Amino acid sequence: MDVSTILDPLNTAQREAVTNDSRSLLVLAGAGSGKTRALVHRIAWLLQVQNVPASGVLAVTFTNKAAKEMRARIGELLQMSPQGMWVGTFHGIAHRLLKSHWQDAGLPQNFQIIDSDDQLRMVKRLLKEHQLDETRWSPKSIQWYINGHKDEGRRAAHVDHHNDPHEKVLQKMYAAYEQACERAGQVDFGELLLRSHELWLKHPVLLQHYQQRFAHILVDEFQDTNAIQYAWLRVLAGDHCAITAVGDDDQSIYGWRGARIENIQSFETDFGNAQTIKLEQNYRSTSTILDSANAVIANNSGRLGKSLWTEGDVGEPLSLYAGYNEQDEARFVVERIEEHYRDNTLYAEQAILYRSNAQSRVLEEELIRAGIPYRIYGGQRFYDRLEIKNAVAYMRLAQYRQDDAAFERVINTPTRGIGGVTVETVRKRARLDNSALWDAASALVSDQSLTQRASKSLQRFIDLVDDLGAAVSTMGLADLADLVLEATDLMAFHGKEAGEKGRARVENLQELINATRQFEPEEEATALREFLDTAALDAGDQQADAHADAVQLMTLHSAKGLEFPTVFLVGVEENLFPHKMSAEDPDQLQEERRLCYVGITRAMKKLYLSYAESRRWYGQETFNAVSRFVREIPTHCIEEVRINASVSRPLNISNGLQLGQNDSGLQLGQRVMHSVFGEGVVLNLEGQGSNSRVQVNFDDEGSKWLVAAYANLEAMG
C-alpha cells in the first residue's frame, strides 16, 4: 500500500498521531475531530509501514457496534480482511482469553455467561435461601453492589465491612453469589474482566506470552475506562507493549457507572514518558457552537486542555428561549421543528436532548398533538417505561378489578410474598371457574384453599386494591395517583434501584403525578377512566420505524457519539441541569458540565437552548434560574428568542440571570481559603453589592452560603 493512501486524508495533527513512534501515546481527541479515522489509519500505518504483523495488534473498544465499525474501516482501508488482529470490546476480548485458558482461570471448559437479568434472578434466589426479605434487601441494590466491587477489582473477601451490620449482609450476599456462580460454572460481565485480570497476575508466563504477542495495544474512548479495565491494561502493557490511548477527558460522562476520569488524566505518568497529541480541528460544528462549548468546559478544573476550532462557517448564534412553563417550552420546540421541516430539514436531522428521562413526557405529548413522528433513541416512550406501567396498572385495577393483565403485573410488585406457585394457583382457579383472576383470588382466600401465609399475603393485596378503588370516587385524579404511589410503595421500591437508573425511575413516577395534574377530562366523574384511555392510546401509538423520518428524542448520556444538523437542548435550568443532586458536589458538577459540553457539540448547524421559568417537578411548582452553563456561554454567541417579538435580541446576561455571578470577583469552580472553614470550592454566586453572596463547598465543613463582603475569602491559584 502507498503511504500516501494512509496519510493524505489526514490533517497535520492526525498525521502526527498516526505516525508517532512513542511507546506510550495519548491522543486527546475533541468532539468531531476524527478520532476513529486517526485510530484506523494508525493501525494501517503499523501494519503497512512499520510491518507489525496483524496478530501483534490489539484494538479495544467499548461497544460491539464500534468494534464492528473499526474492523470494517480497517478492511476497507487495507483492501483486505484484518485476519489475526484482535479487535473487540473489553468484555469480548476477556471472554476470548478465558475460553482459551479456562483451566488456568479456574473455570469449567463450557462455562456460561449470564446477562443482567440472569444475574438478578440468581440474587433473588439467594435472598430466599438466606431468608432475607426483598422489601428490605433490594435485589437490584445487591446486584449493583456486586458489580460495583467487581468493577473496582474487589472480591467479596477483599471488601472491608468495617463491622457495619448492613455492610456485613451485603458482603455475605456477594460471597454467596460468588459461590453460586462457581458451582454453576457461570460468569457475569464483571467477572470476565476481573477473572482475566487475575489470570495475568496468577500466571506470569501466560502474561509474558501475550506481552510478546501484542506489540501494540490501542484503546478507544479511554476516558470511559473503569478501575478493573485500567488495571487490566496496565498489567498487559507492562514494560513491553506500546500503547495508544484515544479519548477526551471533556467527554467523560459515565462516572455514575464506574468510569474514572482519573485514568486518562494520569495516563502520562502511569504509562511512563507518554506523549500527548491533541486533535482539536472539528469537522462537525460551526465556530459559534464550538466557541460556546469551549467557553463552558473551560470552567472545569484539572483538564488536560484543548480548544476546538473549525475552518468552517461562523454559523448562527445559539437561540435561548425562556418558556413560561414546560408546556410552553415544548410548544416552542415543536413549532421550531415544524419550521425547519418546512425549510427542508428532515425530522430525522433534528434532535431533542434532555437531562432527565422524565422530561420526555411533555415533549412527546406535544409532538403527538402536532402529528410529528418521533423516536426515543436508546430508551422507551414515557408510558412504556416499567415504573409507569406498574403505576398505571394499579390505577387500572382500582378502576376495574377484572383487568387480568393489570392484576398479573402488580400482584407481587413490589414484592409482597406472593410467589409463583400462588399465582399459578390463582390462574388455575380462574380457568376452572371461567372467571377473572381477581375473582379467583378472592374465592381462594374465601374458601381457605391456600396456605395460611399465602392467604394472608393475597388478602393484603386485595385489601390494598379495594382501598384504592374506594378512593376513586372520593379523590381527584392527581391525589389518587399520589395515593397509588404511596400506598403501594412503588416510589420506594423503584427508588431502591441504585445509581442513575433508580433516580430516573423516581423522576418518571413524579412526572406521572404531574401528568394527572395537567390532565383535563371532559367530565370530572370519569377523569380516571379518561386518563387511562389516553395513556393506553399514547402507549399504543407506536414509535416511528427506525428508518423512518422522525424527530430523535434522547437523554444527553444517550447522545454521545451522535450528531444532528439541528439540536434542541431543553430544560437548561438550575436544579435540573445541573441536576440538584450534583450541584453541590464539585466532582459531580464537573461531570454535569462535561455533559453540557457533549450536548452542545452534538449540534452541527443550529443549537437551541430552552428552559421553563416555572416547572412542575417532584410534584411541586418550582421556579429555577437559567442554568449556570448558559451563563458561561459568551454573550456574542447567544441570542434570546422572544415569541411575540419580530426579531431576536442579543442575550443580556445581567437581565434576571443573577445566580452564578456577582461583583465579588470570584468565579465558579475557584478554590478559596476561609480563616475558619479552611479550603473549599466556589459553587454559586448571586446578588450584587451588599446583597452579594457566595456558596462554597468546604473540604471539611461542607456547603455554606456566606455574605461576600464579610467572608474575607482568599482566592487560591
Side-chain angles (χ1 to χ4, degrees):
M1 174 186 285
D2 191 342
V3 172
S4 62
T5 304
I6 300 174
L7 299 183
D8 283 355
L10 308 176
N11 63 35
T12 303
Q14 289 171 338
R15 289 182 187 182
E16 188 180 354
V18 165
T19 61
N20 191 282
D21 59 3
S22 300
R23 195 180 72 81
S24 301
L25 176 65
L26 174 61
V27 181
L28 201 59
S33 63
K35 72 174 179 67
T36 306
R37 170 178 286 187
L39 196 55
V40 167
H41 283 248
R42 179 162 176 76
I43 292 172
W45 176 267
L46 293 172
L47 298 181
Q48 296 296 317
V49 180
Q50 299 293 331
N51 295 317
V52 176
S55 60
V57 174
L58 172 66
V60 188
T61 68
F62 268 84
T63 66
N64 289 316
K65 179 182 177 183
K68 185 177 180 181
E69 179 187 356
M70 188 180 294
R71 284 193 208 95
R73 290 178 67 165
I74 293 170
E76 184 179 349
L77 182 60
L78 297 177
Q79 293 296 301
M80 57 179 279
S81 176
Q83 291 290 334
M85 188 186 308
W86 282 30
V87 181
T89 65
F90 275 103
H91 293 105
I93 289 170
H95 181 226
R96 186 170 181 173
L97 283 168
L98 294 178
K99 280 202 323 184
S100 299
H101 307 285
W102 54 273
Q103 285 178 306
D104 291 327
L107 290 169
Q109 185 172 8
N110 297 315
F111 68 89
Q112 299 295 310
I113 299 175
I114 58 174
D115 62 17
S116 181
D117 288 341
D118 293 332
Q119 184 186 35
L120 187 61
R121 277 191 286 271
M122 182 181 289
V123 169
K124 288 181 177 180
R125 188 173 72 248
L126 291 171
L127 281 170
K128 289 181 180 177
E129 288 179 9
H130 287 78
Q131 297 182 328
L132 293 172
D133 186 356
E134 282 191 29
T135 59
R136 184 181 175 195
W137 301 98
S138 165
K140 288 190 176 180
S141 293
I142 293 173
Q143 181 184 33
W144 184 275
Y145 175 89
I146 292 169
N147 292 338
H149 279 296
K150 286 194 175 189
D151 286 347
E152 291 295 317
R154 287 189 292 267
R155 293 284 182 197
H158 303 148
V159 177
D160 189 349
H161 52 64
H162 303 287
N163 284 320
D164 178 87
H166 186 268
E167 189 76 14
K168 279 184 176 180
V169 173
L170 292 174
Q171 186 196 34
K172 181 178 77 170
M173 291 307 301
Y174 183 7
Y177 174 81
E178 283 185 320
Q179 293 168 4
C181 287
E182 288 286 340
R183 285 195 304 269
Q186 295 176 327
V187 298
D188 56 41
F189 292 130
E191 184 71 17
L192 290 170
L193 265 298
L194 181 54
R195 193 166 294 237
S196 62
H197 177 245
E198 292 170 343
L199 184 66
W200 299 143
L201 300 180
K202 293 176 181 177
H203 299 278
V205 174
L206 195 61
L207 172 61
Q208 185 180 25
H209 164 76
Y210 281 102
Q211 287 176 333
Q212 291 173 345
R213 171 177 180 159
F214 295 127
H216 286 269
I217 304 170
L218 302 98
V219 188
D220 194 13
E221 303 287 8
F222 197 80
Q223 77 282 347
D224 293 336
T225 54
N226 62 26
I228 190 64
Q229 290 163 344
Y230 193 66
W232 188 89
L233 287 168
R234 287 193 67 185
V235 171
L236 178 58
D239 296 324
H240 305 280
C241 308
I243 183 166
T244 300
V246 182
D248 182 3
D249 59 322
D250 290 334
Q251 295 189 75
S252 179
I253 60 173
Y254 298 118
W256 51 275
R257 69 182 189 198
R260 296 175 56 170
I261 192 173
E262 299 89 348
N263 293 348
I264 192 170
Q265 291 173 336
S266 59
F267 179 87
E268 289 182 302
T269 53
D270 285 351
F271 284 88
N273 300 317
Q275 185 172 344
T276 298
I277 295 173
K278 299 177 182 180
L279 304 186
E280 298 172 297
Q281 183 175 359
N282 178 280
Y283 293 94
R284 174 188 298 158
S285 307
T286 66
S287 63
T288 298
I289 291 171
L290 298 180
D291 289 347
S292 302
N294 288 333
V296 170
I297 202 64
N299 289 278
N300 269 4
S301 59
R303 297 176 59 232
L304 296 173
K306 65 181 183 318
S307 184
L308 298 177
W309 60 276
T310 180
E311 293 179 344
D313 297 336
V314 173
E316 297 181 42
L318 280 60
S319 293
L320 175 67
Y321 179 69
Y324 170 70
N325 55 25
E326 64 266 36
Q327 286 84 15
D328 183 36
E329 179 189 35
R331 280 191 293 271
F332 167 78
V333 169
V334 170
E335 286 171 2
R336 284 296 189 273
I337 287 172
E338 290 179 311
E339 285 181 15
H340 285 289
Y341 185 72
R342 288 194 293 270
D343 291 337
N344 297 317
T345 300
L346 297 174
Y347 287 135
E349 295 175 334
Q350 304 182 65
I352 306 175
L353 313 183
Y354 36 79
R355 175 64 182 86
S356 170
N357 254 317
Q359 291 171 257
S360 79
R361 181 191 65 84
V362 177
L363 295 160
E364 287 184 62
E365 288 180 355
E366 196 62 35
L367 287 164
I368 291 171
R369 192 174 293 117
I372 296 176
Y374 71 92
R375 280 192 61 77
I376 304 287
Y377 182 89
Q380 296 170 305
R381 297 166 63 126
F382 183 78
Y383 287 105
D384 286 336
R385 293 168 191 163
L386 171 72
E387 60 278 12
I388 300 303
K389 283 189 168 185
N390 289 342
V392 169
Y394 272 112
M395 296 167 76
R396 283 165 45 195
L397 206 54
Q399 172 74 35
Y400 184 62
R401 304 291 196 286
Q402 276 64 44
D403 190 327
D404 284 353
F407 180 94
E408 288 223 49
R409 183 172 193 89
V410 299
I411 185 172
N412 202 36
T413 304
T415 308
R416 52 175 57 87
I418 301 175
V421 174
T422 302
V423 174
E424 184 56 35
T425 303
V426 173
R427 291 195 193 104
K428 288 179 179 177
R429 181 62 178 264
R431 287 195 294 270
L432 185 65
D433 294 351
N434 194 26
S435 68
L437 293 173
W438 174 270
D439 296 330
S442 300
L444 286 169
V445 171
S446 178
D447 59 23
Q448 300 180 338
S449 301
L450 301 169
T451 65
Q452 187 176 7
R453 182 179 176 184
S455 184
K456 282 186 176 180
S457 297
L458 201 53
Q459 184 64 61
R460 282 195 294 269
F461 173 66
I462 290 171
D463 292 343
L464 168 65
V465 176
D466 278 339
D467 288 344
L468 294 177
V472 170
S473 58
T474 61
M475 282 186 167
L477 181 59
D479 290 336
L480 177 66
D482 213 353
L483 175 65
V484 165
L485 296 184
E486 181 182 350
T488 63
D489 285 331
L490 273 179
M491 191 75 80
F493 172 71
H494 288 299
K496 286 179 183 176
E497 194 167 346
E500 186 86 6
K501 185 176 287 187
R503 188 167 75 186
R505 292 201 193 282
V506 169
E507 289 175 349
N508 285 332
L509 289 171
Q510 290 287 1
E511 186 59 24
L512 179 65
I513 296 176
N514 292 343
T516 58
R517 290 191 193 284
Q518 293 160 1
F519 185 72
E520 297 178 357
E522 293 183 10
E523 294 183 33
E524 197 62 41
T526 59
L528 176 59
R529 186 172 297 150
E530 289 182 40
F531 177 79
L532 293 174
D533 288 345
T534 300
L537 289 170
D538 281 356
D541 187 6
Q542 296 297 310
Q543 294 195 57
D545 183 82
H547 304 292
D549 182 25
V551 175
Q552 307 295 302
L553 275 68
M554 66 194 74
T555 64
L556 283 156
H557 284 102
S558 298
K560 187 171 175 290
L562 304 176
E563 59 184 39
F564 304 93
T566 304
V567 169
F568 297 85
L569 181 45
V570 301
V572 286
E573 57 208 55
E574 291 292 313
N575 295 321
L576 183 54
F577 191 39
H579 197 282
K580 65 179 180 181
M581 300 289 287
S582 306
E584 295 191 8
D585 182 305
D587 291 337
Q588 290 186 30
L589 180 58
Q590 292 211 107
E591 182 157 319
E592 291 282 297
R593 187 174 281 111
R594 293 194 292 270
L595 195 56
C596 183
Y597 174 82
V598 166
I600 292 173
T601 54
R602 299 312 94 194
M604 300 165 69
K605 296 179 180 178
K606 180 63 182 179
L607 176 61
Y608 292 91
L609 306 172
S610 64
Y611 67 102
E613 293 177 341
S614 70
R615 182 184 298 274
R616 184 163 284 279
W617 199 243
Y618 281 95
Q620 296 181 336
E621 200 75 20
T622 60
F623 301 89
N624 299 318
V626 67
S627 172
R628 69 192 71 190
F629 303 147
V630 175
R631 293 189 298 275
E632 293 167 357
I633 297 172
T635 55
H636 70 272
C637 291
I638 190 169
E639 64 181 14
E640 196 169 4
V641 177
R642 295 291 183 184
I643 288 294
N644 296 326
S646 57
V647 294
S648 299
R649 59 184 176 81
L651 175 67
N652 180 0
I653 290 293
S654 64
N655 180 23
L657 310 182
Q658 297 172 339
L659 189 64
Q661 57 182 6
N662 60 17
D663 52 8
S664 66
L666 298 171
Q667 297 178 343
L668 294 175
Q670 186 175 24
R671 286 197 69 81
V672 293
M673 169 67 80
H674 188 273
S675 59
V676 176
F677 303 132
E679 291 187 29
V681 176
V682 176
L683 295 179
N684 269 326
L685 302 160
E686 71 174 23
Q688 302 294 328
S690 60
N691 294 321
S692 177
R693 298 200 308 154
V694 56
Q695 185 188 20
V696 180
N697 187 60
F698 292 103
D699 297 345
D700 298 323
E701 300 292 335
S703 176
K704 294 182 182 295
W705 277 101
L706 306 172
V707 177
Y710 304 109
N712 294 322
L713 293 169
E714 178 186 346
M716 302 176 64

